[in-house]
Each structure stands twice: as C-alpha cells, then as structure tokens.
Amino acid sequence: LNTPYDYESIMHYRPFSFNKNNSIPTITTAIPYFNEVIGQRLDLSEVDITRLNRMYDCDNTLTLLDQCSFELINICGMIQNEEDNANWVQTLSSPVDTDHTLAGRCRDSGYFMKFDTSLGDAGKSALLESRILYPKRDEQCLQFFYKMTGGPGDKLVIWIRTDDGTGTVHSVEKIHTIIGDGDDTWKIAQVTLKVTKKFRYLFQGIRGSSASSGSILIDDITLTETICPSAVWQIHNFTSILATVPIGSALRSICFYNPEGYSFGISVYPNGRHSDYPDYVGMTLHLCSGENDAVMEWPAQNRQATIVVMDQEPDVKLRMSSTRSFTTGRKRSEPELWDDSCKCFRSQDFGWSTFISHSHLHRRNFLKNNDLIVTADFSDLTHLIKTEVPEIMCVTVAPRQQQ
Ligand SMILES: [Ca+2]
Ligand SMILES: [Ca+2]
C-alpha cells in the first residue's frame, strides 16, 4: 500500500508478546526508541488510517465537516460580518497570549482569533462566520478552545445561520453562550448542533461592560458529524497532580447527566489504582445519585460506559485518543458512598487500572498546556437487544389464544 513500516500501528505486537520467559522480549526494534512505541493500543495510527482508506478506496473521512487552527492567512474561509461594530483579528502568539495549536512551542508561528474587549462601548460585538457547510447527518459536535482574559461579563455566543435555499430568507438560531468567569486559561467547549441543511456557524464576541480589559481568543475548531460526549472534564496542572497524588488515590469529577437522565462521574487515579500498576493512570466510572433517580430504571443495565483521554493534537484526523468501553450487567454494585463535594452518593468505581501508561501520557498531546481532558458517555444500548424479542413472543403466544 506504499506506506512506511509503522511502529505505531495498533496491529503491532508488544515487545513481550507470545514469550515463554516473562523477562525476555520476543520483539526488539533496531532503533531502541521504538521499543517504547510498539504495541500501542490507544487508537489507529495515522498510517493505519491511510492503509484502510487505500484498501477500501476511500479518500477522506466522512464525519469531518470543518476544522481550523487559524494558522493560514485565509482563516479557513471564515468571514467577518460587516454589519456589526468590531472584528475578530488573526493574531500571532506572544509571550502573554500563546495560541492553542502550538502552545508556544515554535517562535513566529501559532495564530488565534482575537476579539478585543478592552476598548469600545459595552455591548460591542463582532461576528466571525464559517464558510457554508453541507451536513450529511442530523447531529454535529462543534469543538473548540477558547480563552477569556477580560471582565467576567464578556460573552462568547455560538449561532447557526441557515437560509431557505434561495438565499433570500435567512434565519439564525442561538445555540450556546459562554460567559467569562475570570479563569483566563485555554478551555475546551463542545457544543451540539442539530442541523440538516446547509448552514454557517458563527462566533460572536461581546464586550460585557466598560470595565472589561482583556480579550476573547478562539483556536483549534473541529466540527464533526458525531455526537458530543455527555461529560467533558478538563483537569488543569496534571503534572503537579502526578507528582503529588499517592498511589490508590483518585480525583473525582463533578456528576454529569446522560441524555436519558442517569447521573455519573469519573474517577482518575493519576498514579495507579493499585500498587501493582504505579506507572499507569487508572480511569473508572461510577453512578451518582441524581434528581431523576425516582423515575430511572434500576439496575441500569445494558448501558455502555465509555471513557476517552483526549489526544489534543489540533488535526482531528491525526488524534490518537485513548478510548475504552464496558457494558453494564445485571449485578448490583456494592454500597454507595456519600460525597460531600457533590452532596450525592457515588457508587463503586468500575473501570481500568491500566487506562494509559505514564510514558504514553507524556507522548503526543495528552498533556497540552499541562491539561488532561477526559470525556465520557453512559449510553443506552437496550435498542440493540430488543429487536428480535417481540417476534419470538408472537410465535409462542398466538397459537394458545386460538385454542
Ligand atoms: Ca492556532
Ligand atoms: Ca465585523
């Protein structure tokens, strides 16, 4: 398939695969560095994807609609709205504000879009509009990184603009509003869109008050025709957490809700869940007590729990995020524990002691800006098992009714 040897392939065996003696590797790479790389089970590698696409005669991914890191002068075909009273400005990284794509790693490169909130009247607004996009599915996830350094009242609003097909009747819909909270780090946002005809997405920056004295930055936009995860947890300063949290101790997320109404949380064990695996980050999922519990069905069986540690590589096609799933069964878990931080009960943790090794964690972009980003879902699989049951019941019940 005209591709190079791929040490990073998800199909590659590990150094110790199939050995009789646990201490002797069966595979040793000629270049020692790659002994650490072979056998990765995070995700398909870039070359794996190239090979699959060539084998099946596909030229691109079907789910990617748009992405932009603002590195080129054409800003991915985005346009400034002329009717508002300000503009977004493509801005080069400086020691004060580094962009998200390169995170200050390269001098004289790394651009982001900036809306200045330090000047002008309160309510000053600028709209940045994407090019026209043509969805193939009915649900999209708009992911981007933003940084708000101005006053706490500044706003970043996401809109969708569609038209009636002739171009004469336009309609806009407000999708999501982010209000500055004084935390001026790069943060991830994932916004669900449900668009079925051609559209543009819009970023609107608004100066909250005349006291605002900073700016709103956006970078690394990815729009895919996939479903946004129910839970997004961004953990700041993860290397200092790795240095301080003891083996067996966990950080617990807030409790999230899945679309059905179940509440769940994630636990991260930075230095391993057990002393057997101190070189791994453990990741687990648990249920939380929540406001819908009287209505929900218990036990919550046949639900798929998925946890992803996100590779923050700007090009979504090159990301190798670490993803794992399990399906819930019939068995009830052990007693829940009261947690004062969420004022809720949390069930026992269920998941992986070896979710991702520390050496993999420090490769790629898992710890960009020293942030670990974990996403999770708790999704209903019951439709998969219901399909054939009614037919069997018809066969067995119907003859008896005739008697
Ligand atoms: Ca950038
Ligand atoms: Ca403008």
Side-chain angles (χ1 to χ4, degrees), residues 147-164:
K147 182 170 163 176
M148 296 171 93
T149 64
D154 291 344
K155 284 182 190 163
L156 176 59
V157 189
I158 313 302
W159 298 81
I160 291 293
R161 190 198 297 281
T162 50
D163 63 49
D164 67 344

Side-chain angles (χ1 to χ4, degrees), residues 74 91 135-136 194 244 249 262 267 270 291 328 333 341 349 354 385 400-401:
N74 71 355
T91 308
K136 297 184 206 76
K194 296 191 178 205
T244 51
S249 293
Y262 286 109
S267 302
E291 61 185 20
T328 59
S333 63
S341 71
D349 276 327
T354 56
I385 55 166
R400 282 189 191 171
Q401 286 171 340

Side-chain angles (χ1 to χ4, degrees), residues 151-211:
D154 291 344
K155 284 182 190 163
L156 176 59
V157 189
I158 313 302
W159 298 81
I160 291 293
R161 190 198 297 281
T162 50
D163 63 49
D164 67 344
T166 65
T168 47
V169 182
H170 294 280
S171 66
V172 289
E173 185 186 351
K174 190 189 274 191
I175 305 290
H176 188 69
T177 302
I178 297 167
I179 300 173
D181 59 3
D183 174 3
D184 62 354
T185 56
W186 280 107
K187 287 197 258 191
I188 190 170
Q190 313 224 42
V191 178
T192 298
L193 314 179
K194 296 191 178 205
V195 201
T196 53
K197 50 189 178 187
K198 69 172 187 176
F199 70 103
R200 296 175 190 270
Y201 60 87
L202 284 53
F203 286 97
Q204 183 189 23
I206 304 173
R207 187 179 192 216
S209 75
S210 52

